[in-house]
Amino acid sequence: MAYDPENIFARILRGEIPCKKVYEDDWALAFHDINPLMPVHVLVIPKGPYVSLDDFSAKAPAEALGGFLKAVGEVARLMGVDESGYRIVANSGADANQEVPHFHVHVFGGRRIGGRMIKPQD
Ligand code: 5GP
């Protein structure tokens, strides 16, 4: 799938739409999900134009891949769930019900997450 530069996260990255920012560095922006499913529900997105994890891993330079992963860990620490625990989810494509076609990782936490759920409501 071609990257759509008008997707909502691209617009957040360009500052056209506000977000509740948690963290930002050269590689990633993290912000609270507009419809939180858990006490902690933060989205972490790379700054480049990638649709999905496979797109990101195929096209991004190694320093962008590493920088993004470090940002996800930093978000877990900033949100105070590194000790209590958290779950990361990256929905990719139709079968995973990906809504926004800009690669993103959900960071869920702040309460016990049951079973082997993919998303808290599942
Ligand atoms: P997906 O299903 O693509 O993995 O998740 C997309 C997530 O983006 C959803 O959890 C949804 O609530 C969130 N979302 C959609 N639009 C916005 C927005 O404009 N701002 C923020 N902060 N989150 C959004």
Side-chain angles (χ1 to χ4, degrees):
M1 181 201 274
Y3 184 78
D4 171 12
E6 294 308 316
N7 79 74
I8 198 101
F9 293 171
R11 299 188 65 199
I12 286 174
L13 272 176
R14 292 197 296 267
E16 295 168 9
I17 292 176
C19 69
K20 286 166 68 179
K21 190 192 297 187
V22 168
Y23 177 75
E24 182 172 15
D25 63 19
D26 288 346
W27 307 112
L29 174 67
F31 50 91
H32 293 279
D33 196 290
I34 204 166
N35 180 28
L37 300 172
M38 296 278 288
V40 172
H41 185 174
V42 173
L43 301 169
V44 191
I45 68 174
K47 290 199 163 173
Y50 308 106
V51 176
S52 60
L53 175 61
D54 52 284
D55 190 36
F56 183 51
S57 68
K59 295 178 185 162
E63 57 180 355
L65 296 169
F68 179 77
L69 197 57
K70 287 178 79 71
V72 175
E74 181 66 15
V75 166
R77 288 187 292 273
L78 285 171
M79 297 307 296
V81 294
D82 53 320
E83 296 288 337
S84 54
Y86 57 94
R87 180 171 293 172
I88 63 171
V89 169
N91 296 311
S92 292
D95 278 357
N97 299 309
Q98 182 180 5
E99 278 174 36
V100 181
H102 181 114
F103 172 51
H104 52 282
V105 165
H106 298 252
V107 179
F108 293 115
R111 71 162 165 80
R112 191 66 181 256
I113 307 171
R116 300 162 69 103
M117 293 181 299
I118 295 170
K119 266 190 170 181
Q121 83 274 24
D122 291 335

